[in-house]
C-alpha cells in the first residue's frame, strides 16, 4: 500500500509539473515529487529513515518558502502568475 501511495504522489506531481502552466501548480507538483518517497521511508521505520523524512520535510519547507516569496514578488511586479505570459514580457 505505501508503494501505491508513493506512486500516486509521483504521478500526480509529474502531471502537475508537466501539464499546468500556472506557477503555483508547478510548485505543488514539485512538492509532490519531493515528498513521494515519504510513505516508503515511513514503512522502513529505521532511525535513518525517520531522519531522512525530517531532512526531506526541511527541504520541502525551504523550497516552498523560497518559491512563495519569488511568486509573490513576480505577481507584485507583473500582476499575474500564469507562465504563459512569462516570455511575452
Amino acid at each position: 500500500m505505501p508503494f501505491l501511495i508513493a506512486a500516486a504522489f509521483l504521478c500526480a506531481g509529474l502531471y502537475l509539473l508537466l501539464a499546468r502552466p500556472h506557477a503555483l501548480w508547478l510548485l505543488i507538483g514539485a512538492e509532490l515529487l519531493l515528498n513521494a518517497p515519504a510513505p516508503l521511508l515511513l514503512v522502513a521505520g529505521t532511525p535513518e529513515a525517520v531522519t531522512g523524512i525530517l531532512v526531506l520535510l526541511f527541504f520541502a519547507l525551504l523550497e516552498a518558502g523560497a518559491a512563495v516569496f519569488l511568486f509573490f514578488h513576480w505577481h507584485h511586479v507583473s500582476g499575474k502568475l500564469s507562465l504563459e505570459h512569462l516570455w511575452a514580457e
Side-chain angles (χ1 to χ4, degrees):
M1 186 66 177
F3 179 74
L4 293 175
I5 294 171
F9 281 170
L10 185 72
C11 291
L14 281 174
Y15 172 74
L16 289 176
L17 203 62
L18 297 175
R20 302 293 177 144
H22 199 276
L24 292 178
W25 284 115
L26 288 176
L27 173 66
I28 293 170
E31 290 295 326
L32 281 172
L33 284 175
L34 182 65
N35 294 327
L40 299 174
L41 290 172
L42 280 175
V43 170
T46 63
E48 292 85 8
V50 173
T51 305
I53 290 173
L54 292 176
V55 169
L56 187 128
L57 291 176
F58 174 73
F59 283 116
L61 286 173
L62 278 177
E63 178 194 359
V68 167
F69 174 75
L70 290 172
F71 290 152
F72 177 74
H73 178 69
W74 181 23
H75 177 65
H76 183 69
V77 169
S78 69
K80 50 190 151 290
L81 278 178
S82 178
L83 294 178
E84 295 170 346
H85 304 291
L86 178 64
W87 301 114
E89 295 178 6

